Amino acid sequence: MNTDDQAVAKASRIDGAAVHLDWPDAAEAAREATFRRLHSLVREKDPMPADVLVSARSSFGMRSIDDEPAALVYDSIIDDDLLSSVRSGGRTVRQLTFEARDLVLEVEVSGAGHLVGQVVPPQATVVELRHRGGTTPVATDELGCFHVPAMPDGPVSFRCRPTRSAAHSVATSWITL
Amino acid sequence: MDAVDLGALLRQAAGGDEQAWDVLVGRLAGLVWAVARGHGLSQADAAEISRTTWLRLAESLNLITDPERLGAWLASTARRECLRMLRRQERCISTEDRVDWMCGDCGLELVDDLANRGRDAALWSAFEALEPDCKALLRVMLADPPPSYAELSEVFEMPIGSIGPTRARCLDRLGGRTTLRPLHPQGRRAVASTARGRVS
C-alpha cells in the first residue's frame, strides 16, 4: 500500500458515515441529500433566462389558425442511419419532407444555411418563410422550385399559398434547421 | 400537476385566450428548459429548442385531447428537437460550447475535485461530467415543478418501474467518495484504493 492509499484508508476508518452508507436506508438518505443539493445548485447555476419565457409567451401570436398543417414526415438527420450518410460521401446537406393532404414540400439545407426547395405538385406560387423576424416571401418557378440563399437563425416554418388548387394555405410545423 | 386545471387552460388557449396560454407557459417552461439543458445544449441552443417547442404547441393546441399528457408532449417534443440539434452539430466542423461532459478527463477531474474543491463545486462538476443519459434524466427531474414518473416514462421511453432504480444509480455516481464508480480507467485507481480502505 503506497502513501496515498494509506491516507485514504485512514480517512475511511475515521469517517464513520462512510461505513454506515453500506446500509440501504443510509444510502437512500445520501441519495436524497445529493438530489436536494443538486436542486438548489440547478436553481443557482442554470436558471431559465427571462427571455426564454418571453419568447415562449410570444409563440401564441405566431399561430396560423386557418392553415392546413403540413407535418414533417422525413428528416435525413434523424431518419437516415449513419452508414448511409457515409456512403453518400459525408455530405452535409439535410433533406426534409413536409406533407399536407394535397401538397408536399421538399427542402434541402446545406451546412452553410443555403436552402433549396420544391413544392409538389409543381406550380408557380409563393412560399412564405416564417421566422423570428417576420415573414419573407419567396417565389417558386413553374417547376415549384425555390431558393433561399441565407436562412435566418432560429425556428422556421414554410407557408404556401397554392395558386391553383386548395382553398386553405398550408403551413409546415416549426423546425430549427 | 392539476390535470383539470390544465385541461381548462388548454381549451381557453385553443379558443384564443392569451392569458391562459401565459399560465400554461409559466407552468411548463421550466420543464422544456430542463430537457434542453439536460441534453447538454448550450444556453443559446436550449433557447432555440424552447422556442421551437412552444411554437409547435401553439400550432397544435387543438390536437391535444388529453391534458394530462401535455407535460409529456412538450418534453418529448423538446427531446426530439434536442436530438436533431445534436445530430446536426455532430456533422458540423465547427463545434460549439456544448457537451462539456464529453471531455476524456472528466472522471479524473471528478476525483480531484472531491479532494480539492468545495463540496458544491465538486457536486456540480460531477453532475456536468455525468454520462448523457443520467444527466438528462436528473436534469429533467430537477425541473420546477418536477414532472411525474408517468411523464418521465413517456419522455425517456422507459418503464415507470425503471425510473426509480435509474435515478438511484445516477445519484450514486454523484454521491461522493463512498459511492463513486470509476467513470473511466484513469479514475479507477483512486476509487479502488478507497474501496480497499473501507474493508481493511
Side-chain angles (χ1 to χ4, degrees):
Chain A
M1 193 180 277
N2 65 28
T3 312
D4 284 350
D5 288 345
Q6 284 168 354
V8 171
K10 186 179 175 190
S12 299
R13 276 195 298 271
I14 292 169
D15 187 357
V19 176
H20 289 145
L21 282 180
D22 291 338
W23 294 92
D25 288 352
E28 183 60 29
R31 273 181 211 128
E32 296 316 313
T34 302
F35 192 78
R36 282 194 299 275
R37 280 167 56 208
L38 266 184
H39 192 256
S40 52
L41 281 170
V42 158
R43 287 184 167 189
E44 175 196 332
K45 292 180 182 287
D46 189 21
M48 183 176 63
D51 60 345
V52 170
L53 198 62
V54 170
S55 163
R57 285 187 172 146
S58 71
S59 307
F60 194 70
M62 308 285 278
R63 286 175 310 150
S64 44
I65 301 162
D66 297 327
D67 294 341
E68 183 195 345
L72 176 63
V73 294
Y74 170 74
D75 180 355
S76 62
I77 216 166
I78 292 292
D79 299 322
D80 283 7
D81 57 50
L82 287 172
L83 279 177
S84 70
S85 62
V86 171
R87 279 200 298 272
S88 61
R91 63 193 162 78
T92 55
V93 173
R94 180 178 176 192
Q95 297 172 310
L96 304 102
T97 305
F98 299 92
E99 266 183 23
R101 202 174 46 239
D102 299 319
L103 192 120
V104 173
L105 188 73
E106 308 260 14
V107 300
E108 277 191 10
V109 60
S110 74
H114 179 99
L115 180 139
V116 292
Q118 186 176 23
V119 177
V120 181
Q123 55 196 293
T125 181
V126 173
V127 173
E128 291 179 352
L129 173 62
R130 300 193 292 165
H131 51 92
R132 179 166 26 208
T135 298
T136 307
V138 185
T140 72
D141 63 19
E142 67 277 11
L143 295 175
C145 295
F146 62 99
H147 164 223
V148 183
M151 287 295 287
D153 286 336
V156 295
S157 157
F158 300 92
R159 189 160 181 264
C160 185
R161 295 183 170 168
T163 47
R164 281 184 287 191
S165 54
H168 292 288
S169 289
V170 166
T172 72
S173 32
W174 288 88
I175 189 157
T176 306
L177 292 177
Chain B
M1 200 163 291
D2 189 343
V4 177
D5 210 356
L6 278 186
L9 289 168
L10 258 181
R11 277 194 304 278
Q12 289 161 5
D17 183 342
E18 189 163 2
Q19 279 190 326
W21 172 262
D22 286 351
V23 176
L24 280 179
V25 170
R27 285 225 191 160
L28 292 161
L31 174 62
V32 172
W33 177 252
V35 170
R37 293 291 285 161
H39 283 78
L41 296 175
S42 69
Q43 288 231 339
D45 288 342
E48 293 297 337
I49 295 295
S50 170
R51 183 161 175 76
T52 305
T53 303
W54 286 103
L55 283 164
R56 287 274 179 85
L57 179 63
E59 72 189 5
S60 309
L61 278 172
N62 292 315
L63 307 176
I64 297 177
T65 49
D66 182 1
E68 280 184 42
R69 293 194 50 239
L70 178 58
W73 188 95
L74 279 166
S76 299
T77 301
R79 180 166 152 84
R80 274 197 302 276
E81 289 307 305
C82 287
L83 298 178
R84 273 183 223 283
M85 187 172 276
L86 289 168
R87 280 279 187 91
R88 192 186 65 178
Q89 290 175 347
E90 275 168 20
R91 288 186 175 189
C92 292
I93 296 164
S94 59
T95 51
E96 294 178 38
D97 58 334
R98 61 181 187 96
V99 288
D100 31 357
W101 34 262
M102 284 181 77
C103 66
D105 288 333
C106 284
L108 192 60
E109 188 191 334
L110 166 64
V111 174
D112 288 344
D113 273 348
L114 288 170
N116 300 330
R117 291 169 51 182
R119 211 176 57 133
D120 283 348
L123 177 58
W124 188 250
S125 41
F127 177 66
E128 294 275 349
L130 267 182
E131 65 195 78
D133 289 348
C134 270
K135 187 179 176 188
L137 179 67
L138 288 181
R139 182 63 185 84
V140 173
M141 293 184 100
L142 291 161
D144 204 5
S148 67
Y149 272 36
E151 287 170 327
L152 291 166
S153 165
E154 188 169 339
V155 174
F156 288 99
E157 297 174 26
M158 62 198 287
I160 287 188
S162 301
I163 294 171
T166 307
R167 173 184 183 271
R169 180 175 64 80
C170 294
L171 285 171
D172 282 352
R173 286 180 170 264
L174 299 170
R177 191 182 60 228
T178 49
T179 48
L180 260 184
R181 307 274 189 284
L183 295 179
H184 68 115
Q186 287 157 289
R188 195 167 291 151
R189 193 188 62 80
V191 177
S193 66
T194 308
R196 278 201 303 278
R198 282 167 58 190
V199 293
S200 62

